[in-house]
């Protein structure tokens, strides 16, 4: 973390005769807040450019004949400000504006979603007049089909400014003029922004409402709980609103260090999975070969016996959704209970180079590059990383930095994307798999930040090159994983050869210390580094494993879904800890239902390395955490781990000191693929398992297409709009070809969207060789 | 409708006339209106495409300015100024007469599709009140009879001349000019007695300046 | 004071709008002179002349130019505001029809002075023939080497674009005009930054009214003192006065600033026969109205301000006793409602409300409390809106009430059309009623 020691220049002024000192450049409205004076406001929003349109915040400034908008005027030395508290001029001006705002506003508060949490309603009460003097006809607009009530709109332009300034998706705009002015979208281009939900939240009236939440609840019936988003590694603070044990909605919570006041639509809307189609009871495969509901006692017993019987040939596939506490519990269970180091959270393509990179550079490194650093950096280089899809809050923060004009962004990626356009990025169009040389050629300095994404793992030499580049140039390097639990899993040691907090399993003193903390004999812990996810799958396919413990893995994420399923089928005994039925639970011998994020407390470590603690939002469901379930299994295996509640796990993990002997940094040379390669990443809104059951969200996903350079297309006799077939030896995908501004000899596919199921159908990773041909026709 | 390649090229040409291409949006909207007689969703899409804007951004602009019509217009656009000066000096009477003649209200098109009628705001010709516009060309010092005659001539396809401007050709022709494509009609007469009133009076009272100065 | 045919001196010549006609009367001599002098000296001359903006606000032109930062490495722009749309204002339009080269030469000189290599003439869209004439003048100037690259061998380059608006009065507000010229909705911008620092394309920009710019060639050729022979110390020079309404000879009268309305009325032949003056407005609907009692006030920025009104655009509207002042004000409020850009609450909602109240007064269906209410609503807009359009909208009613309160009070019971026969107000009242 960078600590900014620049002294802040202060300005002294008086507000309502009270002297106050605030940093130079502070807006009057903010200075007043510091004194506890709430000046009314609608268009004002601290994260949007001032517009001074609503005029609700007019205040008197000594020496000025007219009242001035406090939301747009900055403080000056010696300024004398009078708000409604001490100025008749300000009070009358504010009341007048409030009256104007209400003349055309429908009095439908009783049926309006915003009722009860509405800035207009609230400020009408505090700063308005009791009775309306307006006796004319209120303005009406034709009802459009989308969810906006334009009569309620006060033309504050928060939504349009958000879309334009913050998201860079100006598909919502003010239409018409004067008293007919209204917010609208174009008929033929819907508001398909990954961030559209924020406009609902910042609407100061009920003009924009959520299709999902509309007419469903009242704010005063909701219990609000601070939570952390589980959908990616951005680490957004959320507010989850609960009614009678059900999540009614999720909002972005204000966290200036992380998500500011925003979140993405996935984080906001993708929560039906927490209550629909859940596993509610343990299942045990009977002699009839079918899964049957079982008691917890029975299921735990079967699991314990099966795992004990497989001793010496067990492995753990952990997935990337866990809280750090659960990840730690799994890490510990593998080593201390199962005695195996065959453990890995990376259910997506990975490499030994990545294992080394994560173990040496990332694990236990604490808070590294921060959002604030991104905002201050002169140059940010995106390597194999698409922030808009893979970490939307990084996208927003970079856009903010770029709009301020201090930061430039370079993207090493296959083609110009909508996301990097919004960052005004210099795109170094690079065929997938060829990123190493592109990165090596960049001239970087200490004011640069390199952000490297998940798919770097499948480009040989890239993580080595990034590490080296950072070291040589003094640039800062951060790894941005895609999943909320990935960084915590690394810190918890869910990798072969890696103990918690970056300690190496092969470091005997570290291993001793672990045995001590875990209260087991040193010699029960594995002493050689185990197999990674791919190697475990490979071994299992070959029948080399007797038991698998699988937690929160979706086969669709794994390098080749069919192989993963084969691995499970070929393993005699499989225990699955899951939240919902899946193709893995179907094959498991024992299925143990576990809690989702809303049902437990815990911590996600975001990409920065920042712990994001959250409490339990829903208590009614009585679901157990992975840690508790594993403690019960351990108990049944005669290994006493204690309760393994969240607090215990957290405290235990903290006992792992920083490593004295780190794993060596990776040193892999580039291995450039020779042929047409696949560029691929997961789009933000796709067919991910946690997004199920939200049709409004799914409707905003992007079209499934294959993107390729026109020259490459021509070389394969492909015209834009043609259906093309992308193949590997394992299968093929047929989608429409769209020309993109990008590198030759590479084709882009979304990893897990509609027809394009890269893992399932191609068994391929980013940078792998694929073949393309025209297929299907128009 | 789909626009021809010519229109696409003209739109691109407009974009090239400015240091920042978005400045061409107003002319470009005039251009698509000159082709279609309105700014349709297709016209908006064309502008958005050429300028790399969201269609909502273009729609926001198209709906802000009164001259852009989002519905079909007649061959001719007839504007009657009913702002204070013109309205009181005769514009109201003219409006009542022709609106009733054509059975057409504000921003509506006559049944024969020839005339779109609009109550317009000040045309910057108050000295010539009441002012009527025919395809936005001045029809100054209008009278009820004069406008009736002009409209009937227009509907019959007869030649009608602007009082300060050329022969009336139709709304789409005017829109093309506004888009920035000349029609070489600049020589059409435009100076009348009212514009010369002060000059003539100055000569009458001997208050002219020496030719060395002006 | 006197009539001063300067900009209008040759409008009766058949080719007054052409390069040849313009050149016959010293056309482009000032440009040649300017190109040989230091740009700063031109700014100084304009400052010395005391020329004030002719668009309505009367801001000193030279001072405005002086705000442009020099040697800042950014492109500079000159934008001519020819969006003449204020009710009553009708002087730029005739000027551009009859003498467009004065504007074009003014653009060239002014651009040179402020170091702009790109100028835009923003003309309202509803006047195609004006656009033809100005476009042609620009073309002629290009062809003659008076615009374009290396003008007259001076090394000075200037591109001039004639740009048509599309129907929005608000675009006469200079920052709204800039937004419009950048291809946006014409809504005014927050200031600061001021256009002189960050205007068009966020670069230093001067925005001047068309008549102001057309003055420049005459000032440069004849000198700062030449301009000061007319007018007053605070309002030097001459002005295109456009007299409209119930006068015998409405039209364009170019006269020295400080001329009185009585003198202008006399030049315009006086009120139409058999009628008397009821009220007049010196410069557009946005300034308060005056009556007979004010006829002898000099038409200067300062004297009009002292009388509680403004010179504005200097285009007096004259109404006789047949006129319903209720109807007149009501129409203006319909106009402001129609033209309010919608950005700020007081103007958007206030014009909506007041125009509705005035409409019912005009119909004789007002309520006893309406007058007081409208007055309060005007106060709720005045000084609180984002730009001057709101202030303008809040002006006609209180101004009219000062002189004609009883007429408004009658609006509670009597329709304007009953109190004042509309036919009598028309100029063809005898011919056609």
């Amino acid at each position: 973390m960078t600590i900014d020691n620049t002294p802040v220049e202060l300005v002294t002024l008086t507000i309502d005769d009270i002297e106050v000192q605030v940093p130079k450049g502070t807006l009057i409205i903010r200075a007043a807040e510091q004194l506890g004076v709430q000046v009314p406001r609608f268009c004002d929003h601290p994260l949007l450019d001032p517009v001074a349109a609503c005029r609700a915040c007019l205040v008197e400034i000594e020496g000025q004949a007219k009242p001035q908008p406090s939301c747009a005027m900055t403080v000056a030395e010696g300024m004398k400000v009078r708000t409604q508290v001490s100025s008749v001029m300000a009070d009358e001006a504010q009341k007048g504006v409030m009256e104007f705002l209400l003349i055309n506003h429908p009095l439908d508060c009783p049926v309006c979603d915003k009722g009860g949490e509405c800035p207009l309603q609230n400020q009408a009460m505090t700063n308005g007049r009791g009775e309306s003097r307006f006796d004319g006809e209120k303005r009406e607009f034709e009802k459009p089909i989308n969810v906006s009530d334009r009569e309620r709109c006060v033309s504050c332009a928060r939504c349009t400014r958000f879309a334009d300034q913050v998201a860079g998706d100006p598909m919502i705009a003010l239409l018409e003029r004067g008293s007919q002015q209204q917010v609208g979208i174009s008929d033929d281009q819907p508001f398909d922004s990954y961030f559209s939900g924020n406009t609902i939240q910042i609407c100061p009236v009920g003009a924009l409402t959520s299709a999902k939440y509309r007419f469903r609840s009242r704010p005063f019936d909701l219990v609000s709980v601070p939570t952390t988003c589980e959908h990616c590694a951005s680490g957004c603070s959320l507010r989850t609103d609960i009614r009678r044990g059900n999540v009614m909605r999720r909002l972005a919570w204000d966290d200036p260090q992380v998500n500011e006041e925003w979140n993405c639509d996935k984080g906001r809307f993708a929560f039906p999975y927490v209550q629909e189609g859940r596993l509610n009871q343990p299942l045990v495969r009977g002699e009839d070969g079918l899964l049957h509901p079982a008691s917890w006692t029975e299921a735990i017993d079967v699991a314990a016996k099966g795992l004990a019987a497989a001793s010496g040939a067990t492995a753990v596939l952990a997935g990337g959704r866990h809280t750090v506490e659960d990840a730690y519990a799994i890490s510990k269970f593998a080593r201390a209970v199962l005695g195996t180091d065959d453990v890995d959270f990376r259910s997506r393509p990975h490499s030994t180079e990545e294992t080394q990179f994560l173990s040496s550079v990332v694990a236990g490194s604490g808070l590294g590059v921060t959002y604030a650093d991104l905002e201050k950096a002169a140059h940010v280089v995106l390597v194999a990383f698409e922030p808009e899809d893979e970490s939307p809050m990084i996208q927003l923060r970079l856009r903010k930095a770029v709009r301020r004009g201090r930061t430039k962004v370079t993207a090493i990626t296959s083609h110009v994307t909508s996301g990097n356009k919004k960052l005004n990025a210099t795109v170094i169009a690079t065929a997938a798999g060829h990123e190493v040389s592109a990165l090596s050629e960049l001239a970087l300095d200490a004011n640069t930040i390199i952000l490297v994404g998940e798919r770097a793992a499948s480009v040989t030499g890239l993580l080595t090159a990034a590490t080296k580049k950072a070291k040589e140039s003094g640039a800062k390097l951060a790894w941005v994983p895609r999943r909320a639990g990935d960084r915590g899993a690394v810190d918890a040691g869910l990798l072969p050869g890696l103990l918690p907090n970056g300690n190496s399993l092969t470091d005997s003193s570290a291993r001793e210390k672990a045995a001590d903390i875990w209260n087991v004999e040193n010699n029960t812990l594995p002493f050689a580094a185990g197999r990674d996810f791919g190697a475990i799958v490979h071994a299992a396919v070959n029948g080399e494993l007797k038991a698998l413990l699988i937690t929160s893995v979706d086969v669709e994420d794994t390098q080749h879904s069919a192989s993963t399923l084969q691995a499970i089928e070929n393993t005699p005994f499989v225990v699955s800890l899951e939240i919902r039925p899946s193709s893995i639970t179907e094959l498991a011998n024992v299925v143990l239902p576990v809690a989702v994020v809303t049902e437990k407390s815990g911590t996600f470590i975001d990409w920065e390395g920042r712990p994001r603690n959250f409490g339990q939002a829903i208590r009614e469901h009585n679901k157990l955490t992975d840690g508790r379930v594993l403690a019960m299994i351990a108990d049944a295996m005669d290994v006493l781990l204690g309760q393994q509640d969240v607090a215990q796990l957290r405290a235990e993990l903290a006992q792992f000191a920083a490593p004295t002997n780190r794993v060596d940094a990776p040193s892999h040379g580039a291995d450039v693929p020779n042929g047409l390669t696949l560029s691929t990443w997961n789009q933000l809104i796709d067919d991910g398992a946690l997004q199920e059951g939200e049709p409004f969200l799914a409707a905003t996903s992007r079209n499934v297409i294959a993107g390729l350079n026109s020259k490459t297309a021509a070389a394969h006799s492909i015209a834009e709009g043609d259906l093309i077939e992308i193949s590997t030896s394992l299968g093929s995908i047929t989608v429409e070809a769209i020309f993109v501004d990008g590198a030759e000899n590479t084709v882009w596919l979304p990893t897990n969207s509609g027809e394009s199921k890269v893992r399932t159908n191609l068994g391929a990773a980013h940078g792998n060789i694929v073949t393309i041909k025209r297929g299907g026709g128009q | 409708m789909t626009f021809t390649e010519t229109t696409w090229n003209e739109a691109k040409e407009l974009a090239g006339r400015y240091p920042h291409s978005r400045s061409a949006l107003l002319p470009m909207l005039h251009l698509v209106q000159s082709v279609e007689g309105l700014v349709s969703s297709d016209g908006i899409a064309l502008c958005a495409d050429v300028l790399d804007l969201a269609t909502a951004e273009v729609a926001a602009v198209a709906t802000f300015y009164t001259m852009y019509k989002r519905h079909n217009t007649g061959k001719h656009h007839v504007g009657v100024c009913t702002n204070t000066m013109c309205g009181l000096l005769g514009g109201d009477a003219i409006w009542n007469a022709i609106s009733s003649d054509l059975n057409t209200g504000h921003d509506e098109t006559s049944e024969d599709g020839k005339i779109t009628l609009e109550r317009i705001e000040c045309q910057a010709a108050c000295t010539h009140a009441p002012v009527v516009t025919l395809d936005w060309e001045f029809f100054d010092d209008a009278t009820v009879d004069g406008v009736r005659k002009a409209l009937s001539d227009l509907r019959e396809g007869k030649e009608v001349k602007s009082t300060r401007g050329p022969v009336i050709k139709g709304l789409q022709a005017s829109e093309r000019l506004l888009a920035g494509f000349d029609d070489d009609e600049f020589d059409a007469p435009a100076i009348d007695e009212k514009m010369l009133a002060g000059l003539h009076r100055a000569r009458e009272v001997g208050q002219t300046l020496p030719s060395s100065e002006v | 004071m006197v009539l001063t045919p300067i900009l209008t001196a040759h409008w009766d010549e058949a080719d007054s709008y052409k390069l040849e006609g313009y050149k016959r009367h010293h056309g482009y001599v000032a440009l040649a002179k300017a190109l040989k002098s230091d740009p700063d000296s031109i700014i100084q001359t304009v400052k010395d002349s005391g020329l004030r903006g002719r668009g309505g606000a009367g801001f000193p032109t030279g001072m405005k130019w002086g705000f442009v930062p020099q040697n800042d490495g950014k492109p500079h722009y000159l934008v001519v505001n020819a969006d003449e749309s204020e009710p009553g204002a009708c002087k730029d339009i005739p000027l551009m029809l009859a003498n467009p080269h004065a504007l074009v030469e003014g653009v060239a000189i002014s651009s040179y002075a402020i170091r702009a290599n790109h100028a835009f003439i923003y003309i309202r869209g509803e006047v195609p023939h004006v656009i033809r004439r100005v476009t042609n003048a620009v073309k002629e100037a290009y062809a003659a080497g008076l615009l374009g690259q290396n003008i007259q061998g001076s090394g000075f380059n200037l591109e001039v674009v004639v740009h048509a608006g599309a129907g929005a009065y608000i675009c006469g507000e200079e920052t709204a005009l800039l937004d419009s010229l950048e291809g946006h909705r014409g809504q005014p911008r927050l200031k600061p930054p001021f256009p002189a620092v960050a205007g068009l394309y966020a670069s230093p920009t001067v925005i001047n009214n068309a008549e102001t710019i057309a003055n420049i060639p005459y000032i440069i050729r004849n000198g700062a003192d030449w301009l000061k022979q007319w007018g007053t110390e605070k309002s030097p020079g001459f002005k295109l006065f456009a007299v409209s309404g119930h006068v015998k000879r409405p039209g364009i009268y170019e006269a020295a600033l400080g001329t009185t309305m009585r003198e202008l009325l006399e030049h315009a032949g006086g009120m139409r026969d058999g009628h008397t003056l009821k009220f007049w407005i010196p410069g557009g609907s946005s300034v308060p109205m005056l009556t007979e009692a004010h006829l002898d006030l000099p038409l200067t920025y300062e004297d009009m301000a002292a009388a509680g009104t403004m010179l504005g655009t200097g285009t007096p509207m004259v109404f006789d006793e047949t006129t319903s002042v209720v109807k007149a004000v009501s129409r203006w409020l319909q106009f402001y409602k129609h033209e309010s850009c919608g950005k700020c609450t007081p103007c958007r909602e206030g014009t909506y409300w007041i125009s509705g109240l005035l409409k019912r007064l005009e119909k004789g269906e007002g309520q006893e409390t309406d007058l007081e209410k409208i007055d309060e609503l005007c106060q709720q807009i005045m000084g609180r809106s984002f730009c001057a359009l709101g202030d303008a909208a809040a002006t006609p009613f209180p101004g009219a009430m000062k002189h004609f309160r009883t007429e408004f009070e009658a609006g509670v019971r009597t329709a304007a059309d009953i109190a004042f026969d509309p036919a009598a107000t028309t100029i063809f009242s005898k011919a056609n009623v």
Side-chain angles (χ1 to χ4, degrees), chain C residues 191-317:
Chain C
K191 291 184 272 195
F194 290 91
V197 177
L200 188 67
Y201 312 130
S203 286
T205 302
V206 165
I207 304 144
N208 281 137
N209 168 260
E211 184 188 348
T212 313
I213 293 293
N215 264 255
I216 300 298
Y218 298 89
I219 295 170
I220 296 304
R221 194 168 63 78
N222 295 311
D225 287 339
W226 173 81
L227 189 77
K228 289 201 273 193
Q229 68 181 293
W230 300 287
T232 61
E233 192 193 338
K234 288 180 178 164
S235 303
F238 52 89
K239 177 92 192 64
L240 290 172
F241 291 101
V243 184
S244 61
H246 291 128
V247 298
K248 272 198 195 128
R249 287 195 301 269
I252 308 297
Y253 294 86
E254 194 173 15
L257 282 163
T259 302
T260 65
M261 189 61 211
R262 192 179 298 284
E263 289 167 322
L264 273 186
L265 258 184
E266 194 190 321
H267 289 311
M271 300 303 292
R272 59 179 179 166
D273 285 338
H275 294 280
T276 53
L277 174 68
K278 181 169 181 179
F279 62 94
W280 62 284
I281 298 167
S285 58
S286 303
V287 310
M289 58 176 61
L290 298 171
T291 61
E292 179 91 35
H294 309 94
L295 283 180
D296 292 315
L297 293 173
L299 290 165
T300 64
Y301 296 101
E302 63 274 18
D303 290 291
M304 289 297 107
T309 183
M310 284 161 71
L311 181 63
T313 51
T315 50
M317 291 186 275

Side-chain angles (χ1 to χ4, degrees), chain A residues 692-752:
Chain A
E692 277 175 31
E694 197 9 293
F696 297 109
L697 179 67
T700 66
S701 65
R702 294 181 178 166
N703 291 341
V704 178
I705 55 105
L708 75 173
N709 167 299
S710 58
K711 277 190 198 164
T712 304
H716 292 81
S717 310
I718 293 164
E720 184 150 44
D722 282 352
L723 284 177
I724 61 167
E725 189 180 278
I726 300 100
S727 315
T728 63
S729 59
L730 298 170
S732 69
I733 286 171
T734 303
V735 288
E736 185 187 350
I738 295 292
F739 291 173
V740 293
D741 180 6
E744 288 180 50
N745 232 16
T746 199
V747 59
W748 179 82
L749 285 175
T751 305
N752 187 26

Side-chain angles (χ1 to χ4, degrees), chain A residues 54 104 133 137 176 181, chain C residues 185 345 349 352 373 376:
Chain A
C54 78
N104 276 307
R133 293 189 294 167
E137 273 180 41
E176 305 293 340
Q181 181 173 265
Chain C
R185 295 157 70 75
T345 310
E349 305 297 338
Y352 176 90
K373 199 190 272 182
E376 281 181 39

Side-chain angles (χ1 to χ4, degrees), chain A residues 117 201 213 217-219 221-231 236-254 259 263 266-275 596-600 604 613-621:
Chain A
E117 57 179 5
Q201 190 171 343
Y213 176 71
S217 187
R218 281 288 173 204
D221 288 333
L222 299 171
V223 176
S224 298
V225 185
T227 54
T228 298
C229 187
E230 74 281 28
H231 286 296
C236 292
S237 271
L238 301 184
R239 186 183 109 187
T240 298
D241 283 354
I242 313 277
R243 191 179 61 185
R244 293 193 289 276
N246 283 317
V247 178
M248 300 306 292
R249 63 174 178 182
R250 308 209 309 188
L251 306 172
W253 196 256
D254 181 13
N259 53 308
N263 73 340
K266 181 154 86 173
R268 186 177 297 267
F269 298 120
F271 60 80
Y273 82 92
V274 308
Q275 43 217 29
V596 295
V597 280
T598 44
E599 296 158 340
K600 62 186 177 188
F604 286 125
N613 300 342
F614 56 91
Q616 188 179 12
I618 298 176
R619 293 174 190 282
E620 288 88 338
H621 299 172

Side-chain angles (χ1 to χ4, degrees), chain A residues 51-55 66 93 96 99-100 103-104 133-135 137 139 154-155 174 176-178 181, chain C residues 167 185 187 338-346 348-349 352-353 360 367 373 376 380 384-386 391:
Chain A
V51 62
C54 78
R55 317 303 282 180
K66 301 174 180 180
E99 178 174 36
F100 281 142
I103 63 164
N104 276 307
R133 293 189 294 167
F134 180 74
D135 55 4
E137 273 180 41
R139 179 169 63 214
V154 292
S155 282
L174 287 167
E176 305 293 340
R177 185 172 80 194
Q181 181 173 265
Chain C
R185 295 157 70 75
Q187 295 191 322
H338 185 257
E339 300 299 336
S340 168
C341 80
K343 181 167 187 159
C344 78
T345 310
R348 180 183 69 241
E349 305 297 338
Y352 176 90
W353 192 351
R360 72 186 190 195
Q367 295 178 7
K373 199 190 272 182
E376 281 181 39
Q380 273 175 221
R384 298 174 189 175
S385 57
F386 191 97
D391 293 346

Side-chain angles (χ1 to χ4, degrees), chain C residues 332-389:
Chain C
W332 281 320
L333 260 297
Q334 303 303 323
F335 166 79
Y336 289 114
K337 176 199 164 198
H338 185 257
E339 300 299 336
S340 168
C341 80
K343 181 167 187 159
C344 78
T345 310
C347 177
R348 180 183 69 241
E349 305 297 338
T351 55
Y352 176 90
W353 192 351
I354 296 172
S355 63
L357 291 172
L358 280 170
K359 233 179 192 170
R360 72 186 190 195
L361 275 178
E362 192 187 335
K363 283 191 207 153
E365 296 166 2
Q367 295 178 7
E368 299 289 345
T369 54
D370 280 358
L371 296 185
E372 195 188 339
K373 199 190 272 182
I374 297 171
D375 198 53
E376 281 181 39
L377 296 178
C378 287
Q379 286 176 42
Q380 273 175 221
I381 300 175
M382 185 59 86
R384 298 174 189 175
S385 57
F386 191 97
C387 78
L389 195 152

Side-chain angles (χ1 to χ4, degrees), chain B residues 18 23 30 60 65-67 82 84 89 92 122 137 182-183 186-188 194 198 201 203 207 211 213, chain C residues 3 12 17-18 26 124 129 132-133 139 163 165-167 180-181 184-185 201 221 226 252 267 328 331:
Chain B
Y18 294 85
S23 282
H30 281 304
Y65 298 93
T66 320
M67 290 181 81
T82 52
T84 304
L89 264 58
D92 287 355
C122 186
E137 305 286 358
D182 299 339
D183 59 7
F186 53 85
D187 279 328
K194 288 182 169 172
R201 173 72 179 167
R203 289 198 182 130
Q207 293 181 345
S211 64
E213 293 177 23
Chain C
L3 290 172
D12 58 345
Y17 61 97
K18 289 191 175 172
H26 321 291
R124 65 180 302 190
H129 204 46
R132 282 187 196 98
R133 286 269 164 111
K139 269 191 184 170
H163 184 93
S180 179
L181 184 51
H184 293 270
R185 295 157 70 75
Y201 312 130
R221 194 168 63 78
W226 173 81
I252 308 297
H267 289 311
R331 266 327 142 79

